[in-house]
Amino acid sequence: MILRLAGALLGLFMAGLPAAAADFDDPRRVYLALDRSADAVVESGGGRIRVVFADGARGLDRDRVLTWVQRAAGAVTTYFGRFPVDDVGLLVIADGGDRVMTGTTFGFGGSAIRVIVGRDTGDEAFARDWVLTHEMVHLALPQMDERFLWLLEGSAVYVEPVARALASQIAPESVWRDALTGMPRGEPEAGDRGLDHTPTWGRTYWGGAIFCLLADIAIRQQSAGRQSLRDAFTAINRASGGNTAYWSMEEIVAEGDRATGTGVLAALYAKMAAAPSPTDLPALFAALGVRLSDGGAVLFDDSAPLAPIRRAITAN
Ligand SMILES: [Zn+2]
């Protein structure tokens, strides 16, 4: 999830906020809370994560939380070759529940993440969590106009499981289970006007993820396996400095394609932005050699034509 606010407004409103604030729904309060000294600092891949436990976050085991933060940061560092920003404030809010409930990333007053963690979250639920990795992927790309939210959410949906697999935190089967079950929700429905003009949940999150998978495959094909979407995203991250920057779609596409020496992003964007452009997902997954068995197990077929690309996506 991403939230934006005009930078100019931020300073204006923060000055007059009352001190009592148990409600961190307002991003200005997130920044206020992160303004005080960190309860802990987690370092990963050249980045500094300043962890603040909101109002003490009573009921949360801090060691457990910090282990989880380090693991999520490690996945993102593995994917991008370094942590995507030099500094981020991470506000951890304790609430009811037995898992990591939700997260939001902000970029308008320095990089910041707000995450709500259930007090009954156990080691297994922390290890399974994808939310914090998803939010940390959001740190990598610049902010963009609202109509391109599908690229920001789609890239986080696509990269999060891949990053965790590259860091050996989950199995490749888990990456492809997400794709097999999730991507059908990203297909255009009746009345669709292309990714730039259809801001539904399915198109934003999973339509964007389909775009990323198609881009990843095409870049690998056109570069004979030497380049991938990871190279494009990494180059965009380095050139922009991450989510405190604000880029146009033209800048994103140009930098990504320059990095891979292809025109893949430009071509796919032209195809999918302003027209429905459905993807034959069953045919695509068959070509990649991956399917779900009747019992729900992920089955690989290494003789499928795109199987080498499928394996390369999760192989470090
Ligand atoms: Zn998101």
Side-chain angles (χ1 to χ4, degrees), residues 1-2 134-135 138 152-153 156 205:
M1 199 188 293
I2 290 185
H134 174 107
E135 298 307 328
H138 278 317
L152 299 180
E153 292 300 349
Y205 284 79

Side-chain angles (χ1 to χ4, degrees), residues 2-4 141-153 195-197 199 204 245-252 269:
I2 290 185
L3 219 144
R4 289 180 206 71
L141 299 191
Q143 296 181 69
M144 303 177 76
D145 186 88
E146 197 73 34
R147 69 185 186 281
F148 308 126
L149 194 58
W150 60 267
L151 181 62
L152 299 180
E153 292 300 349
L195 288 170
D196 279 358
H197 310 284
T204 301
Y246 188 96
W247 276 23
S248 67
M249 182 59 89
E250 288 70 27
E251 289 173 293
I252 295 275
Y269 178 69

Side-chain angles (χ1 to χ4, degrees), residues 78-130:
T78 299
Y79 187 88
F80 292 101
R82 61 148 294 164
F83 195 72
V85 292
D86 293 335
D87 179 273
V88 58
L90 174 62
L91 185 66
V92 178
I93 301 166
D95 204 350
D98 58 1
R99 62 189 169 84
V100 179
M101 309 305 285
T102 179
T104 308
T105 298
F106 312 92
F108 41 79
S111 295
I113 296 173
R114 171 186 67 202
V115 69
I116 299 175
V117 181
R119 290 189 191 87
D120 299 323
T121 307
D123 286 330
E124 198 194 327
F126 272 124
R128 247 200 335 263
D129 171 64
W130 57 268

Side-chain angles (χ1 to χ4, degrees), residues 5-17 28:
L5 194 71
L9 285 178
L10 187 68
L12 201 73
F13 279 97
M14 279 176 69
L17 273 181
R28 291 165 297 200

